[in-house]
Amino acid sequence: LPMAAAHPQVLAVAAQVAESSERDIPLLLLKLKGILSSPSLGYEGSKKIKQDIYDYGLTQYCLLVLRQDHSRLRGGWATAAQLAEVLSHCCVGLEMKEDPEEFYKKFLPSAIDSLLVLGKRLQARFIRAIKDKEKQDFLHWFQTVTNAICWLFSGHIQLAACVLKNDRFLQLLITDDVETAIIMMSVLHNILRINSSVLLQVDKETLHSVLDELVYKLSSTTNPAVGSAVTKLLLLVAKLCKQLVQLLTARYKGLKGLLNEQWTGKGFDRELNQLLDMLYLEQPNGKGEMQKQHQAACIIQAMWRGFQTRKRLKKLPQAVTTLQRSFRAKREQELQHLTKQKEDEALKLQMQLQRQRAMRLFHERQLALLERVHASQVNKYMEEMEEKSALTIQRFWRGYRARRIFHQQKQSLKEYKAAVIIQRAACKFLEKRRRRRPLSPWKEPKGLTDEQRLALQQKVDDYIKLHPASQMSEEMSKELHMQAQEKLAQFLLRSRLDQRAAQRRETLLAQVNTDVELLMNAPGLAETTERDVGVFMSRSVPVATKARQSHNTMLKYTRWPWWKKLGDEFMEDDVIPDGALNTELETLFIGGRK
């Protein structure tokens, strides 16, 4: 073990790991995660802790645990995923000065291999899982392990080539599962972003295997997420080296056609167009120019078809709404017409029945009257009835004719009223226009003649003689000025005093409100603490003394015998005699101090 002073928490974990059984070691190693994530650690402190963890062999313990059967660990696959994260954090930022070859060439590649093995096992478990909850858990743990791998080779760039050369990385990439494939392509994207020349460092077989898998994913799936990820990866590969663009063009003859036909308009056209441009630039000029024109024509046609489709779809709801509205209106009109027709028929039948009933009653009444009338009066009665019937018929006829004439004159009456309204508006307009006419230019009044001026001066002199002006001496003016100054000073002084009194009243009112709020929110005596008592104590010595005296006086007054209060029957309950308040100062109580 190292002789230098180690971090106490790391030393405690190392001691527990050395004394514990093999089954408890994984959970003990998880304590390193809390130690590494402590916010109080700086860069140097974190570096020192990672060095202590490596020196005490805890990093090697994490590596050994990751190689075990994770289904038998306490915590299962979740513990394994967390240990992978701990291992990557312990290795990043660690600089080995003693025996660096052991760390960089043996330990780190072994850690990468263990993490890839763990990722492969999690991927297999995720594909075989049936329940949604299990699939979500395995996918989360798989994401954690891949993040640990990315974190590890981001801290040690030389590990990027080690990851690509590992056969298990290619096994993870060769999968038909969409979720894990997208995650592995994001890992490959991070590798290329961190080490741009890594594809030139690996052998051709590995490079061809990776590119073959990416192109196969483009040709075998229609998922936009997979297509977008592969397109971005190929674009990044093409940007890294011109040699790789030539390789893509020469090895995959139908790649451009595949990209044009299958992946155009899937939501990542910008990256797709950039990749196609780079691929077309590697062809001869004539053929490349023709391909560009063909691609431009396809884009224009696609945009035009999309515009026409969106236009038709935009008008479709309006046309459907109009059709539905007209159909409902027509159906409503038909229903109203049928209802009105039925009502008219029912009314017509009802009127016919009423008319027949009225005629029957009329004839019955006539027969009854004729039976009562004498034979000599029958002719006279019939003449009277004929006259009344003629008058009734004439009355109804005149009413009908008057209504018909009124309806005929109704339009002319409406036109007459409209003409009156128009004439009234025209008259108002002409009147306003007349009022807006400019006034005649100013004509200077004629000057007064000498005779008129003398007559006017004579009138002014006569008025002054009849109404002489009152005069005031200089002493009276000064005295009046002094009186005005004194009244003004008195007013200013009184207003200043009133303002001060108003401010004092507002201050006292605010203080009373504060005290009332404190008393309302104060706890009971059984629950009162020293802190609560300090709120009601004043830091002013005179105020505290006066409060103490008033409190003692109130207590003494309430304890007086009844015969001492005989003279206070007509006093209010909350008023204390002035004599009771005039007590001597005995002890001083200073509130708010110990």
Side-chain angles (χ1 to χ4, degrees):
L1 294 178
M3 300 302 294
H7 195 275
Q9 294 181 353
V10 177
L11 189 59
V13 173
Q16 292 176 0
V17 169
E19 296 175 357
S20 301
S21 61
E22 184 178 354
R23 183 177 177 80
D24 298 332
I25 289 177
L27 296 180
L28 294 174
L29 293 175
L30 289 180
K31 295 181 180 179
L32 297 175
K33 185 176 181 180
I35 297 173
L36 292 172
S37 61
S38 177
S40 60
L41 295 177
Y43 174 74
E44 295 296 332
S46 176
K47 186 177 178 181
K48 177 68 171 56
I49 286 179
K50 293 177 182 179
Q51 186 66 43
D52 292 341
I53 292 173
Y54 183 80
D55 291 341
Y56 278 98
L58 297 179
T59 311
Q60 290 82 353
Y61 268 111
C62 291
L63 187 58
L64 292 174
V65 170
L66 289 178
R67 293 176 180 175
Q68 297 178 4
D69 186 4
H70 306 95
S71 60
R72 298 180 181 178
L73 292 178
R74 296 182 62 182
W77 296 99
T79 303
Q82 293 180 14
L83 286 177
E85 191 175 6
V86 170
L87 178 61
S88 64
H89 280 78
C90 290
C91 295
V92 174
L94 183 60
E95 297 179 0
M96 296 299 299
K97 297 180 180 179
E98 299 179 0
D99 197 8
E101 184 175 356
E102 174 70 20
F103 178 73
Y104 290 108
K105 294 187 178 180
K106 294 183 179 180
F107 181 78
L108 289 180
S110 179
I112 286 291
D113 185 71
S114 299
L115 292 176
L116 290 174
V117 170
L118 177 59
K120 181 60 180 175
R121 293 177 179 176
L122 287 171
Q123 185 187 46
R125 294 282 180 140
F126 169 75
I127 295 173
R128 290 198 303 268
I130 299 175
K131 298 180 180 179
D132 293 339
K133 182 66 170 61
E134 292 181 357
K135 293 183 76 68
Q136 292 178 2
D137 292 339
F138 280 114
L139 184 62
H140 173 69
W141 297 330
F142 182 76
Q143 181 74 53
T144 304
V145 173
T146 53
N147 290 340
I149 295 173
C150 294
W151 181 258
L152 188 56
F153 66 68
S154 65
H156 302 281
I157 302 176
Q158 71 276 7
L159 294 178
C162 181
V163 173
L164 278 182
K165 293 177 181 178
N166 198 305
D167 294 337
R168 293 182 178 83
F169 176 77
L170 190 60
Q171 293 174 6
L172 288 169
L173 186 63
I174 300 175
T175 179
D176 293 332
D177 182 68
V178 176
E179 289 84 354
T180 56
I182 292 174
I183 293 174
M184 290 309 302
M185 283 188 284
S186 67
V187 173
L188 181 58
H189 190 277
N190 291 331
I191 291 174
L192 298 178
R193 184 174 53 83
I194 292 172
N195 191 353
S196 58
S197 61
V198 66
L199 291 178
L200 301 177
Q201 297 174 5
V202 299
D203 54 354
K204 290 185 177 180
E205 184 178 358
T206 303
L207 177 60
H208 291 170
S209 299
V210 172
L211 295 178
D212 289 346
E213 179 60 25
L214 294 179
V215 176
Y216 172 76
K217 289 185 184 300
L218 280 177
S219 61
S220 63
T221 183
T222 58
N223 193 313
V226 177
S228 175
V230 175
T231 304
K232 291 178 181 178
L233 269 175
L234 292 178
L235 179 61
L236 182 60
V237 169
K239 287 181 178 179
L240 291 177
C241 183
K242 188 176 181 181
Q243 182 180 354
L244 298 177
V245 181
Q246 295 175 357
L247 177 61
L248 289 173
T249 307
R251 186 176 177 85
Y252 309 104
K253 300 293 185 180
L255 179 60
K256 297 182 287 296
L258 176 65
L259 293 173
N260 270 323
E261 296 174 2
Q262 187 171 343
W263 296 105
T264 301
K266 293 299 180 67
F268 48 93
D269 290 343
R270 186 170 63 88
E271 293 83 0
L272 184 63
N273 293 332
Q274 292 180 7
L275 178 60
L276 288 173
D277 291 341
M278 297 185 71
L279 293 176
Y280 283 131
L281 287 175
E282 293 300 321
Q283 294 181 347
N285 293 332
K287 192 173 181 180
E289 187 66 26
M290 185 182 300
Q291 291 288 348
K292 285 185 178 180
Q293 293 178 0
H294 176 70
Q295 184 181 2
C298 292
I299 293 173
I300 293 172
Q301 290 176 359
M303 294 295 290
W304 172 252
R305 293 192 189 100
F307 169 73
Q308 291 291 337
T309 304
R310 286 191 297 272
K311 189 176 180 181
R312 285 196 300 270
L313 291 176
K314 189 175 181 181
K315 291 181 178 180
L316 184 60
Q318 185 177 1
V320 172
T321 305
T322 305
L323 181 62
Q324 291 176 350
R325 188 187 302 113
S326 61
F327 174 75
R328 293 192 186 100
K330 185 176 180 181
R331 185 175 60 182
E332 186 69 23
Q333 289 178 0
E334 291 178 355
L335 292 175
Q336 290 180 359
H337 178 69
L338 290 175
T339 305
K340 187 177 181 181
Q341 187 175 0
K342 290 181 180 179
E343 290 178 354
D344 292 342
E345 291 178 357
L347 181 61
K348 186 177 180 181
L349 180 61
Q350 186 178 3
M351 293 295 294
Q352 186 177 0
L353 292 174
Q354 289 180 0
R355 189 178 297 109
Q356 291 178 358
R357 191 179 297 111
M359 290 295 292
R360 188 183 301 112
L361 292 175
F362 174 72
H363 290 304
E364 290 177 358
R365 194 180 301 113
Q366 273 191 339
L367 291 175
L369 289 174
L370 288 174
E371 290 177 356
R372 296 176 185 178
V373 175
H374 195 268
S376 60
Q377 300 293 328
V378 172
N379 293 331
K380 184 178 180 181
Y381 174 75
M382 292 300 294
E383 291 177 358
E384 291 179 357
M385 292 301 297
E386 289 176 358
E387 186 178 357
K388 287 182 180 179
S389 300
L391 291 176
T392 303
I393 293 171
Q394 290 174 2
R395 184 170 65 252
F396 277 98
W397 166 251
R398 292 191 187 98
Y400 167 73
R401 187 177 59 182
R403 285 191 296 271
R404 187 175 64 179
I405 294 172
F406 173 75
H407 285 297
Q408 291 176 357
Q409 294 178 352
K410 188 175 182 180
Q411 184 64 25
S412 60
L413 181 62
K414 186 183 295 185
E415 294 176 356
Y416 172 75
K417 290 183 178 179
V420 171
I421 293 173
I422 294 172
Q423 290 175 359
R424 187 184 300 117
C427 292
K428 287 183 179 180
F429 171 74
L430 294 175
E431 181 66 23
K432 289 181 181 179
R433 191 172 180 181
R434 242 189 319 309
R435 291 177 181 176
R436 290 177 183 175
R437 288 179 181 175
L439 298 175
S440 58
W442 171 257
K443 295 181 180 179
E444 187 177 357
K446 298 180 180 180
L448 298 175
T449 60
D450 294 338
E451 297 178 355
Q452 293 176 347
R453 190 178 291 106
L454 290 175
L456 185 60
Q457 184 65 34
Q458 185 64 32
K459 289 181 180 180
V460 171
D461 294 339
D462 295 340
Y463 181 83
I464 291 174
K465 289 180 181 179
L466 294 174
H467 304 86
S470 59
Q471 295 181 356
M472 184 180 292
S473 62
E474 184 177 357
E475 290 79 5
M476 294 178 65
S477 299
K478 289 182 178 180
E479 184 178 358
L480 183 61
H481 177 69
M482 293 300 294
Q483 291 177 1
Q485 290 294 327
E486 289 178 0
K487 290 184 178 180
L488 180 60
Q490 291 176 3
F491 171 75
L492 293 176
L493 179 60
R494 187 166 56 254
S495 63
R496 193 178 295 111
L497 293 176
D498 294 341
Q499 186 177 3
R500 290 179 181 176
Q503 291 178 355
R504 192 178 297 108
R505 283 194 301 271
E506 292 178 357
T507 304
L508 291 176
L509 183 60
Q511 183 177 0
V512 169
N513 290 333
T514 304
D515 294 341
V516 168
E517 185 177 356
L518 287 174
L519 291 174
M520 292 295 291
N521 298 329
L525 294 178
E527 303 173 358
T528 306
T529 60
E530 294 183 359
R531 185 176 180 181
D532 297 330
V533 174
V535 176
F536 298 95
M537 291 185 179
S538 175
R539 297 184 179 274
S540 175
V541 176
V543 173
T545 304
K546 185 64 177 177
R548 181 71 174 180
Q549 291 175 2
S550 300
H551 181 67
N552 293 335
T553 303
M554 177 65 74
L555 291 177
K556 288 180 181 180
Y557 181 74
T558 55
R559 294 171 184 171
W560 278 358
W562 62 270
W563 49 270
K564 281 191 176 183
K565 300 180 182 180
L566 288 176
D568 302 336
E569 291 85 0
F570 301 99
M571 294 179 60
E572 297 180 0
D573 295 338
D574 57 347
V575 177
I576 303 173
D578 295 337
L581 294 175
N582 296 328
T583 57
E584 296 182 356
L585 299 177
E586 296 177 357
T587 58
L588 290 179
F589 174 78
I590 303 175
R593 298 183 182 177
K594 295 183 178 179

